[in-house]
Every structure is written in C-alpha cells, then in structure tokens.
Amino acid sequence: MPRQSASLDAATPERIAATALAIIDTDGPGALSFRTLAARLGVAHATVQRRCTDLAGLLDLCADHLAAELPGLPPGTDWAEATETRFRALYTALTAHPGLLALRGSRPWLGPRLLGRLVEPQLADSVAAGMTPGEAMTAYRRMYLLTLGSATFVDHRDPGGSMALTRRALAALDPEEFPVLTGHLPEILPAVVDHEVYHGALRQLVLAAGPGLRGTT
C-alpha cells in the first residue's frame, strides 16, 4: 500500500502535466509518450494512462496546467487593461511551449482552468461593460485567435532559428518577382519574431472594441 500511495503521489495531474511539458520543451514534441512520461515520473505506464486515458487527454491536462499561470484580476479593473493583461499572459504562456501547440493542433482549449481564469471572466467583464453576450464572445474570439495564431506560427524560444529559416526562404526568391521581400531583409526579418507585432495587434483589437462599449465612462 505505501508503494502504491507513493506511485499515485508521483502521478498527480499537476506532476504529470509539468513533467510532460518538460519532455516536450527539452526533447521536442515527438519525444512525448506514456512510456517516456511514466519512466520520468518513476511510475508504471498504466498509472499514467489511467490518469489521462489517451494522448488527447494528456494534452488537455498540459493545456489546463498552463492556464494556472493566467492572472486573477480584482473586480473593477478597467476593461481594456483587464483584456490586454489576460491575453498577454496567455500569449506568454503559449510561446513558452511551442511543442505543446504543435501537438494540440486544432484541438480547442476548453479545460476548466482556462474557462475559469480567462473565458468566463473576460465575457463577464465585457457584458458588464455593455456588450451583449454575442458581442462579448465575438470580441473574445478575435483576441483569442490572434493570440493562438501569433504563438503558433513562430517558435519564439528560438528567434534566431526562425529568422534564419525565413532568411533562407526569402533569399531563394527571384528579386525581380519579389523586390520588396528580397530587397529589404534587414527591415523585414526582425518583425518575424518581434513580440511587439502581437502586442500592437492586440492593443488595436482592444481599442477597436472599446469605443463600442455601452455604459462605460
């Protein structure tokens, strides 16, 4: 019984998620498997599988583990400030784990922590600020898709590698057919990995939604 108890302690959802993310971040998304994860935790393969059922369940566990990093904001926080703070925090969490994004693909992020720390409070704040539920959801989806897409399509943990890949691709183009892309690489390449591209776009979305709010001062 003590050995079984120790095994269960080593295979808590939090430890499973944290260990799985460590494997993905260190060894790449292809290295994640139940057997590798179980070995890293020091438990039986079946123990991990009982906790997660399948790979999709494991990835859901990892995604919801990340949601714990999202901030809780005090009531009455300015809508624009709260919105930008929440989505910037989500972007930071996602860009830290590009391998998880690659593995999840198009699967929705609907874990209870994400719903409780991001979706529900964001929608509630938007409705309180004067949006209809439909308008609140539309605004949320715009910012969510911007955040997820911005985090997914560039590996911000390796900006040098991302810029090198882009440089090689653009350098192979015909300068006569693509004069802007090939003739302005020093100006174009930094924008590929610049976090401010996302931050600026998010700010624009927030400002665009703000003037339409009813009941704000």
Side-chain angles (χ1 to χ4, degrees), residues 23 27 49 60 75 84 96 104 121 138 155 165 181 184 189 204:
I23 293 171
D27 303 325
Q49 195 156 16
D60 286 344
E84 191 165 347
R104 285 189 61 84
T138 296
D155 184 352
L165 285 172
L181 286 172
H184 302 277
L189 286 174
Q204 288 178 335

Side-chain angles (χ1 to χ4, degrees), residues 83-101:
T83 300
E84 191 165 347
T85 297
R86 289 189 184 110
F87 282 99
R88 284 177 67 125
L90 177 63
Y91 174 80
T92 297
L94 296 179
T95 54
H97 304 283
L100 177 62
L101 294 176

Side-chain angles (χ1 to χ4, degrees), residues 139-185:
Y140 168 82
R141 286 290 293 175
R142 287 171 178 163
M143 295 170 202
Y144 168 77
L145 291 174
L146 169 69
T147 304
L148 191 59
S150 297
T152 298
F153 290 107
V154 176
D155 184 352
H156 288 284
R157 296 180 68 210
D158 182 21
S162 296
M163 289 179 66
L165 285 172
T166 304
R167 180 187 293 276
R168 287 197 293 271
L170 298 184
L173 298 175
D174 181 347
E176 292 188 3
E177 189 176 356
F178 301 94
V180 177
L181 286 172
T182 60
H184 302 277
L185 289 180

Side-chain angles (χ1 to χ4, degrees), residues 40 55 66 82 84 95 101 113 126 132 140 167 182 202 206 212:
R40 189 73 63 89
L55 179 60
L66 287 186
E84 191 165 347
T95 54
L101 294 176
R113 272 187 181 158
S126 295
T132 67
Y140 168 82
R167 180 187 293 276
T182 60
L202 175 63
V206 171

Side-chain angles (χ1 to χ4, degrees), residues 77-83 122-133 135-137 139-140 142-143 205-217:
T77 301
D78 173 74
W79 181 87
E81 178 186 347
T83 300
Q122 182 61 36
L123 294 181
D125 282 356
S126 295
V127 170
M131 291 185 184
T132 67
E135 290 169 341
M137 191 62 190
Y140 168 82
R142 287 171 178 163
M143 295 170 202
L205 281 179
V206 171
L207 291 174
L213 296 178
R214 296 183 293 274
T216 57
T217 57

